[in-house]
Amino acid sequence: MKHEPEKIRESIGIVFQELTLDRDMTVKEILEYHGRLYSMSKAERQERIEELVSLVELEGKKDTLTRHLSGGMKRRLEIARGLMTQPKVLFLDEPTIGLDPQTRIRIWDYLRDINHQGTTIFLTTHYMDEADQLSDRISIIDHGKIVITGRSWELKNTLGQDLIYLETSDNWEAAELLKDLDSVKGIREKTKGIVVMVNVDGTYLLPEVMDRLRSRGIKIKAVNLKKPSMDDVFVHYTGRELRDSGAEKGAVVIPRSRGR
């Protein structure tokens, strides 16, 4: 393949974070032009355009200028263009950023369909639920470096079976009291409290935790028990809340490629 750069380019599709559509071209013209760039025959272009506008539900918009499309439609057209040459590998840079929940879910469905047809997808996102829903493997990137990689359930399990969030009258003392419990995997600070990562069902451990704190005169202001999420994983390994995330970090999602 290294001696056939044209074939390599044809096997790769890319959808940028920023929209790159020509405002003065129609949906059909955008796809037609892209096909011509890759030397697709007229018959191939026509067949592929029909397939793609159906896939992204833009059949009724083929002759519409892109300037008149909604944000979700433009994003779907970007994905269709990236798929024009039937790439074996598709790179997506935050394809659902700024979209409403319904459109995001619809695009997720498109990506699953594409993946089921055999396309390997590399996707960057700051939406941890998106990474959780779509990924086969996830890499969390912080300041340009991969800090951990694994399947969603593997990454969550690194935090323990359950998470107990506590706000107390003395969070530092509470952490000191709880850190030596056999079932405690680790403790980290949060904005107003602490998060206790435990290796057992938290519902059974919680009474012991509360009794231990009360016995030392520590008042419990708030308590919450939940399963680890990808948001928790992200914050744990980057040390920052998602709202502080910048362009230098995110999650690289690699959905499984299934044979054609």
Side-chain angles (χ1 to χ4, degrees), residues 50-64:
E50 292 302 317
E51 290 176 357
L52 290 172
V53 294
S54 175
L55 174 67
V56 298
E57 299 181 21
L58 290 176
E59 298 101 317
K61 300 291 183 179
K62 284 193 295 184
D63 297 318
T64 301

Side-chain angles (χ1 to χ4, degrees), residues 10-250:
E10 289 175 7
S11 70
I12 296 174
I14 185 167
V15 177
F16 297 100
Q17 178 179 341
E18 299 295 331
L19 294 175
T20 58
L21 301 172
D22 190 318
R23 289 166 46 86
D24 296 317
M25 294 177 72
T26 66
V27 168
K28 183 177 180 180
E29 288 170 343
I30 290 283
L31 298 176
E32 175 79 18
Y33 181 69
H34 193 72
R36 285 176 178 269
L37 287 177
Y38 285 88
S39 302
M40 296 175 68
S41 69
K42 183 176 180 180
E44 287 177 319
R45 295 196 305 270
Q46 290 178 341
E47 180 180 1
R48 191 64 179 148
I49 288 171
E50 292 302 317
E51 290 176 357
L52 290 172
V53 294
S54 175
L55 174 67
V56 298
E57 299 181 21
L58 290 176
E59 298 101 317
K61 300 291 183 179
K62 284 193 295 184
D63 297 318
T64 301
L65 293 175
T66 60
R67 69 171 69 185
H68 299 310
L69 299 178
S70 67
M73 289 178 181
K74 290 177 182 177
R75 181 58 66 190
R76 281 144 54 192
L77 177 55
E78 289 267 7
I79 293 174
R81 183 176 62 179
L83 293 170
M84 187 68 185
T85 59
Q86 294 183 297
K88 295 179 180 178
V89 180
L90 180 64
F91 292 90
L92 301 172
D93 186 7
E94 302 202 45
T96 63
I97 190 168
L99 300 181
D100 60 79
Q102 292 91 339
T103 304
R104 285 181 66 206
I105 292 172
R106 185 173 296 176
I107 288 178
W108 289 0
D109 290 338
Y110 298 149
L111 297 182
R112 290 190 185 98
D113 288 343
I114 295 163
N115 182 230
H116 291 162
Q117 293 171 20
T119 299
T120 297
I121 301 174
F122 289 79
L123 181 151
T124 63
T125 181
H126 282 92
Y127 298 129
M128 293 300 102
D129 60 329
E130 187 164 77
D132 202 359
Q133 288 284 330
L134 294 177
S135 66
D136 180 42
R137 291 178 63 79
I138 301 172
S139 292
I140 292 179
I141 299 174
D142 191 23
H143 289 294
K145 295 182 179 180
I146 295 176
V147 294
I148 190 170
T149 297
R151 298 177 186 274
S152 174
W153 64 268
E154 292 173 333
L155 299 183
K156 293 174 187 176
N157 282 351
T158 65
L159 271 59
Q161 183 174 335
D162 279 335
L163 300 179
I164 301 174
Y165 172 71
L166 294 165
E167 287 184 26
T168 73
S169 57
D170 190 335
N171 292 323
W172 185 87
E173 181 65 21
E176 287 296 307
L177 280 173
L178 300 176
K179 69 179 184 180
D180 294 328
L181 288 175
D182 291 339
S183 301
V184 172
K185 183 181 180 71
I187 299 176
R188 63 178 173 84
E189 292 182 85
K190 204 165 173 65
T191 306
K192 296 182 179 180
I194 58 174
V195 177
V196 183
M197 298 170 277
V198 301
N199 287 322
V200 297
D201 187 335
T203 57
Y204 295 106
L205 184 63
L206 192 54
E208 180 181 352
V209 167
M210 298 180 75
D211 287 343
R212 177 170 286 213
L213 296 179
R214 286 168 178 159
S215 69
R216 296 293 293 269
I218 298 175
K219 295 180 180 179
I220 300 171
K221 299 178 180 179
V223 61
N224 183 36
L225 173 66
K226 68 170 192 171
K227 296 291 183 184
S229 67
M230 281 307 304
D231 280 358
D232 296 314
V233 173
F234 186 95
V235 172
H236 178 74
Y237 285 102
T238 65
R240 288 178 292 278
E241 300 289 349
L242 287 175
R243 64 176 179 273
D244 295 328
S245 61
E248 76 278 4
K249 57 182 176 292

